Amino acid sequence: MRITPFSRPMALAFAIACAVVFASTIADAQTWVHPGIVVSPQQLLATRNAYQTGDATVGNQVSKAMASTYGSTTYAVQGYYPGGVNQCGANSNPNHGCQAADNDSNAAYVQALLWYITGNQTYANNAMNILNAWASFQGYAGTNGIPCPSGTDCSNGPLQSGWDAEKWPRAAEILYYGRTSSGASSGWSSTSFNNFKNMLVNVYQPVIQNGSGVNGNWDMSMIDGTMQIAVLTENRSLLNQARTMWLGRVPDLFYLNAIDGSSHAASPRGNPSWFGQSIFNASTENVNQETCRDLTHTEDSISSTIMTAETDWIQGGELYTDTSNSTETGAQVKAEDRIVGALNLISGLEAQNPGQNNIITAPFDFCTSSGGVGINQIKLGYGATYVIGYNAYHNRLNVAAMQNQHGTSGQHGTANTYNWIQNNGLNLAQDTDHGNHMTLFEALTHTAEVCTQANNSSWNSIAYIAQTGSPTVKFNATPSQNNANTVVGLSSGTPAAYAQLAAIVRFNPSGFIDAYNGNIGGYAAVNSIPYTGGTKYSFWMILNIPNQTYDAYVTPDGGSQVQIASGYKFRLTATTLDHAVLHAEVGTDNVCSFNLPLGGNFPQ
């Protein structure tokens, strides 16, 4: 099995629905996208289409979700502790409603997801029952002004609040805004929805919105929860606050030698332990703040980091590729360098002896001091938290350091994340959260790429936020055959003629890839690159709309990047671009993971 685009018939169905979804959700940069927490409308639709058309990978993951405790059609609400106040001490001791909150929030999300995918109203009813039951929750003892009983421990209340807030909004988004394939809503009333939102704002938001200095995974859970509440409640200032906090925490979570030098970055809050990691050099590149503690907690940090960035992306942000952090702008090192490197490092460690709590020998210069599981030792995690990151950085952003099977191996292997997913991640039992309180069925929701098909029966289009500057457009394209004749063009509006396209790349009928150059009034290529039917090609189009020119690059699957256009003039004047238009004369072309990253992200 490979993480690949879904089938061509599915892509055509998606293309029809896509026009409606995009028109209603991203009309301008300030429009809120719903459902828009961790899973976008397009990703949800792609997942459902994959399931309904028999995609083996998605089908397998849906079956696992259905078979899990959280996805049972007979799931019974566990509810909060009698009186409405939970109490959670260290390691959930005492456990007064702590595990119940974890289980119910997990189940609410999985049940809502299964309702969207299958249309089975029982799942929607179960999710509604859970959310309605918790709408009157009062909070955790020791937080938000609720006293902690004398002589007892309430220390985990803030962390539990973060975990809960990472899942409650996800469930509510899908349940309230989602629709089945027949167009039916869940039936969750606006009154119930508003009651639940008010509970989140009054009970959870005050506890988590300022983060935590206790530990990196605590802080990032709260940041993710804050981001999710911001989207659910459409609170723009809270969303921006979560973004700022994320930018401050990422450098201290993921070490980067080129920027940090002989010590890790300073923590924005508190002074979290590095648990025996005392050497910071090129050998320890990408070590996480809790790697030497164990990879379960490391996975918690990674999962919350990625989910925050994914939600931000859906809402039009650029955390995945950000260059704005004040400590990093001099060298233009993006958050992606820290995150991609960490994903590859940690997934490579997991693969050495798969199994949660298994022990491996730490790499050279890792975990050399006391404070962790043991000197020169690393305790592994379950490894369920890499698919969303892989989908973002490989499928969507085409980052060179995040490769598929064609990448490298070793401690910093560019194929490590992919190999872990294929050889281990897709085979995980996933019947419980396995200690990762926010990671649930990533391979179910983020395996199928979002695709649209170019064919000779229509001019399909993908809408995006109107651009007037110098954006970078990226997408993957797979021609159905040799000597096809298909184009992907950028335009203003939705034209149905080649002459109405501004910038165009093409699989030409002679078997080569080229681009339209308005300077010569025809197609040309800086470098001649042949294509093969059934092979995926990753395209980058670097636009200069004010100058009406563009550059274009293409990377064959497993190959090297090649430039095909340099300063090519637009085919016609277009001061604003807001659609990608797909058409084929011969064969078809599956265009997937189309995106317009605000952060640029072109490798110099």
Side-chain angles (χ1 to χ4, degrees):
M1 177 272 151
R2 294 292 181 262
I3 295 182
T4 55
F6 52 79
S7 66
R8 292 186 176 89
M10 188 186 315
L12 182 58
F14 172 76
I16 296 170
C18 181
V20 176
V21 172
F22 273 96
S24 64
T25 58
I26 59 171
D28 61 73
Q30 296 302 305
T31 298
W32 291 95
V33 179
H34 298 296
I37 298 176
V38 181
V39 193
S40 69
Q42 298 78 29
Q43 192 70 53
L44 281 167
L45 184 57
T47 298
R48 182 167 67 199
N49 286 342
Y51 175 70
Q52 292 179 344
T53 56
D55 180 276
T57 300
V58 174
N60 179 260
Q61 297 301 311
V62 170
S63 294
K64 289 179 180 179
M66 290 176 172
S68 72
T69 300
Y70 306 135
S72 171
T73 55
T74 60
Y75 184 88
V77 181
Q78 297 182 19
Y80 46 70
Y81 200 65
V85 175
N86 288 354
Q87 183 183 0
C88 302
N91 299 310
S92 293
N93 183 24
N95 180 7
H96 294 166
C98 316
Q99 190 63 54
D102 225 14
N103 290 342
D104 279 354
S105 57
N106 288 347
Y109 171 64
V110 174
Q111 296 277 336
L113 192 61
L114 289 175
W115 162 74
Y116 177 93
I117 291 170
T118 67
N120 185 341
Q121 184 62 31
T122 298
Y123 292 122
N125 294 341
N126 288 342
M128 280 187 278
N129 289 339
I130 296 169
L131 298 181
N132 290 342
W134 283 83
S136 54
F137 180 50
Q138 301 300 301
Y140 287 91
T143 72
N144 205 21
I146 303 174
C148 182
S150 177
T152 65
D153 182 11
C154 298
S155 59
N156 252 31
L159 178 59
Q160 186 78 47
S161 297
W163 292 339
D164 295 357
E166 291 185 277
K167 294 170 293 188
W168 289 132
R170 266 193 280 174
E173 277 276 303
I174 295 174
L175 193 64
Y176 189 72
Y177 292 105
R179 296 293 182 268
T180 66
S181 56
S182 66
S185 70
S186 69
W188 199 29
S189 71
S190 295
T191 299
S192 296
F193 176 57
N194 288 329
N195 287 341
F196 190 78
K197 285 196 299 181
N198 290 337
M199 183 276 292
L200 292 175
V201 170
N202 295 325
V203 172
Y204 285 100
Q205 185 177 324
V207 178
I208 67 173
Q209 65 184 355
N210 294 317
S212 170
V214 173
N215 216 325
N217 79 78
W218 283 50
D219 196 34
M220 197 55 86
S221 287
M222 294 182 184
I223 293 168
D224 182 34
T226 299
M227 173 75 78
Q228 294 197 23
I229 290 174
V231 172
L232 188 71
T233 61
E234 298 190 345
N235 185 332
R236 186 69 58 181
S237 63
L238 189 65
L239 178 73
N240 290 332
Q241 179 178 325
R243 286 170 168 162
T244 300
M245 292 169 67
W246 188 94
L247 291 169
R249 177 55 69 184
V250 164
D252 186 46
L253 277 181
F254 310 106
Y255 170 72
L256 198 63
N257 178 251
I259 295 298
D260 303 334
S262 60
S263 182
H264 60 82
S267 170
R269 284 167 291 283
N271 186 30
S273 172
W274 279 69
F275 299 97
Q277 183 60 49
S278 57
I279 297 176
F280 297 92
N281 56 27
S283 297
T284 60
E285 187 78 292
N286 303 128
V287 66
N288 177 272
Q289 180 237 318
E290 295 182 88
T291 296
C292 298
R293 180 184 188 183
D294 59 63
L295 297 193
T296 294
H297 285 90
T298 300
E299 289 174 17
D300 287 351
S301 294
I302 290 173
S303 182
S304 298
T305 298
I306 292 294
M307 288 195 297
T308 306
E310 185 74 6
T311 300
D312 169 77
W313 181 275
I314 295 167
Q315 301 302 329
E318 56 184 283
L319 293 183
Y320 271 132
T321 61
D322 189 82
T323 61
S324 66
N325 190 292
S326 60
T327 65
E328 303 190 5
T329 51
Q332 290 293 289
V333 176
K334 308 177 183 74
E336 76 178 38
D337 294 282
R338 294 182 183 274
I339 297 170
V340 170
L343 289 172
N344 284 329
L345 170 69
I346 302 304
S347 62
L349 294 175
E350 307 262 34
Q352 291 186 25
N353 184 25
Q356 190 172 33
N357 297 327
N358 286 348
I359 304 294
I360 63 169
T361 300
F364 180 70
D365 279 349
F366 280 67
C367 313
T368 57
S369 302
S370 61
V373 64
I375 302 294
N376 299 127
Q377 290 185 323
I378 292 176
K379 181 187 291 187
L380 302 184
Y382 186 63
T385 185
Y386 301 101
V387 176
I388 298 176
Y390 177 84
N391 183 61
Y393 284 116
H394 177 76
N395 292 340
R396 187 190 296 150
L397 291 169
N398 306 318
V399 173
M402 182 65 76
Q403 289 291 322
N404 56 16
Q405 70 269 27
H406 301 296
T408 60
S409 58
Q411 184 169 315
H412 298 285
T414 59
N416 284 357
T417 302
Y418 173 86
N419 288 336
W420 170 263
I421 293 169
Q422 299 301 326
N423 299 328
N424 301 281
L426 293 176
N427 299 318
L428 295 176
Q430 290 185 295
D431 55 345
T432 72
D433 66 355
H434 293 274
N436 294 94
H437 301 272
M438 69 297 294
T439 307
L440 290 161
F441 298 104
E442 288 189 359
L444 192 165
T445 55
H446 287 76
T447 293
E449 282 193 71
V450 176
C451 300
T452 305
Q453 188 187 79
N455 56 62
N456 58 14
S457 63
S458 61
W459 291 75
N460 290 328
S461 65
I462 302 171
Y464 50 85
I465 296 169
Q467 301 294 308
T468 57
S470 301
T472 298
V473 169
K474 303 177 185 179
F475 57 89
N476 301 322
T478 305
S480 61
Q481 63 183 71
N482 295 341
N483 303 112
N485 186 5
T486 75
V487 301
V488 177
L490 307 180
S491 69
S492 177
T494 55
Y498 296 112
Q500 296 172 339
L501 303 178
I504 313 170
V505 294
R506 178 178 70 158
F507 292 113
N508 74 30
S510 299
F512 293 86
I513 298 172
D514 55 20
Y516 195 92
N517 187 355
N519 292 316
I520 64 172
Y523 289 91
V526 173
N527 294 289
S528 179
I529 176 169
Y531 66 87
T532 302
T535 297
K536 181 170 74 174
Y537 296 84
S538 296
F539 286 85
W540 305 59
M541 298 176 74
I542 318 301
L543 306 172
N544 189 329
I545 298 174
N547 288 344
Q548 300 287 284
T549 62
Y550 68 105
D551 299 340
Y553 299 78
V554 64
T555 305
D557 191 27
S560 301
Q561 188 180 78
V562 179
Q563 187 167 20
I564 55 173
S566 178
Y568 281 13
K569 195 75 174 176
F570 284 3
R571 183 165 185 164
L572 84 167
T573 300
T575 56
T576 299
L577 297 176
D578 56 17
H579 281 78
V581 180
L582 288 57
H583 186 66
E585 296 291 341
V586 178
T588 60
D589 182 14
N590 220 29
V591 178
C592 302
S593 294
F594 180 92
N595 68 93
L596 203 152
L598 303 179
N601 195 49
F602 186 68
Q604 301 296 327

